[in-house]
């Protein structure tokens, strides 16, 4: 028989890990070789156990799943990480992929196909939850749909300016700025200003001094 796909489970909830282990115990070609309850444990066990696939919760204590993924891949670039998250927002997906994850699936999906996702990642595929395929900007457009005016407003948002301050700087009404801000967020699939700032900086949509 061919070697089984070795898997490290990382989640801070013991019952969740137990549930995932039971799911995978029914898969004849997959073997769970270890469990971690936080990001620091995940980094250590990834080095000690050398699993083929790491099933990583995005939100973890002590060190989140994104940072743990970065550290694991820095030490072991051949590692394959499948990120599990409660967040369907595109900005979370992009951050996971930027960190090096090979897949992103939603933990609360009723049709969670954990074994299938692990096999696909082990075979070299990138796996995204089917609920995430609606957004085209995951394909790499990265803000190309923004107008010059929107990019100008985005730069001022990143600078911490309020709608009123942006309006004064650009000789616009505050309502017009609010509309532009809403259009920017809609175009990028982002719903919070803090996430918008992080996204703009990470993807080079603004030039920092």
């Amino acid at each position: 028989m061919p070697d089984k796909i070795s898997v490290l489970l990382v989640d801070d909830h013991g019952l969740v890990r137990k549930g995932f282990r039971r799911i995978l115990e029914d898969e004849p070609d997959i073997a769970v070789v270890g469990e971690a309850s936080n990001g620091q444990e995940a980094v250590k066990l990834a080095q000690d156990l050398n699993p083929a696939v790491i099933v990583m919760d995005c939100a973890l204590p002590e060190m989140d799943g994104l940072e743990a993924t970065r550290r694991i891949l820095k030490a072991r670039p051949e590692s394959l990480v499948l990120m599990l998250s409660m967040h369907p927002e595109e900005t979370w997906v992009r951050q996971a992929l930027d960190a090096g994850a090979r897949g992103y699936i939603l933990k609360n999906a009723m049709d969670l196909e954990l074994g299938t996702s692990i096999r696909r990642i082990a075979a070299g595929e990138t796996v995204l939850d089917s609920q995430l395929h609606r957004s085209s900007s995951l394909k790499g457009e990265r803000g190309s749909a923004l107008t010059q005016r929107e990019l100008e407003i985005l730069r001022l948002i990143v600078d911490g300016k309020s709608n009123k301050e942006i309006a004064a700087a650009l000789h616009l009404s505050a309502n017009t700025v609010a509309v532009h801000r809403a259009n920017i967020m809609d175009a990028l699939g982002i719903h919070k200003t803090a996430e918008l700032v992080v996204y703009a900086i990470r993807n080079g949509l603004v030039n920092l001094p």
Side-chain angles (χ1 to χ4, degrees):
M1 291 184 62
D3 291 337
K4 292 186 176 184
I5 302 171
S6 56
V7 173
L8 171 64
L9 295 177
V10 186
D11 196 289
D12 59 325
H13 294 95
L15 290 177
V16 174
R17 295 197 309 273
K18 182 180 292 186
F20 288 160
R21 180 181 279 273
R22 287 180 176 175
I23 291 173
L24 297 178
E25 284 175 348
D26 292 332
E27 305 288 349
D29 56 340
I30 296 174
V32 177
V33 297
E35 298 181 19
S37 61
N38 61 59
Q40 292 183 351
E41 286 183 5
V43 173
K44 184 178 186 302
L45 287 179
Q47 295 176 345
D48 294 344
L49 301 175
N50 195 33
V53 177
I54 301 164
V55 177
M56 179 82 72
D57 185 19
C58 194
L60 293 168
E62 298 187 31
M63 180 190 300
D64 65 32
L66 297 174
E67 180 61 24
T69 295
R70 294 187 192 98
R71 296 194 184 190
I72 289 170
L73 293 177
K74 183 177 181 180
R76 298 182 63 251
E78 70 276 14
S79 297
L80 302 172
V81 177
L82 173 62
M83 192 72 71
L84 270 64
S85 176
M86 298 293 289
H87 302 285
E89 294 86 2
E90 179 183 323
T91 183
W92 284 89
V93 183
R94 187 176 294 286
Q95 288 184 60
L97 298 180
D98 286 347
R102 295 294 296 273
Y104 189 103
I105 58 178
L106 300 177
K107 290 176 65 174
N108 59 347
M110 295 299 293
D111 57 346
L112 178 64
E113 296 185 356
L114 192 56
T116 298
S117 298
I118 289 171
R119 289 190 195 92
R120 290 178 60 192
I121 285 180
E125 297 182 43
T126 297
V127 176
L128 293 178
D129 194 293
S130 59
Q131 297 182 56
L132 305 172
H133 289 168
R134 294 189 294 263
S135 177
S136 62
S137 55
L138 282 176
K139 299 176 183 178
E141 282 80 356
R142 297 196 174 196
S144 61
L146 297 184
T147 66
Q148 285 301 117
R149 173 64 84 184
E150 288 169 343
L151 287 171
E152 189 175 21
I153 290 174
L154 178 58
R155 178 179 60 80
L156 293 171
I157 292 173
V158 172
D159 285 343
K161 299 292 191 296
S162 66
N163 284 359
K164 185 178 293 186
E165 291 171 327
I166 295 172
L170 300 180
H171 307 289
L172 300 171
S173 72
N175 286 338
T176 298
V177 173
V179 171
H180 279 303
R181 182 190 287 258
N183 288 341
I184 292 167
M185 289 185 169
D186 184 62
L188 299 178
I190 295 173
H191 307 291
K192 295 181 179 179
T193 298
E195 293 178 359
L196 179 63
V197 170
V198 171
Y199 180 93
I201 294 172
R202 287 176 63 91
N203 292 284
L205 297 183
V206 295
N207 294 319
L208 297 178

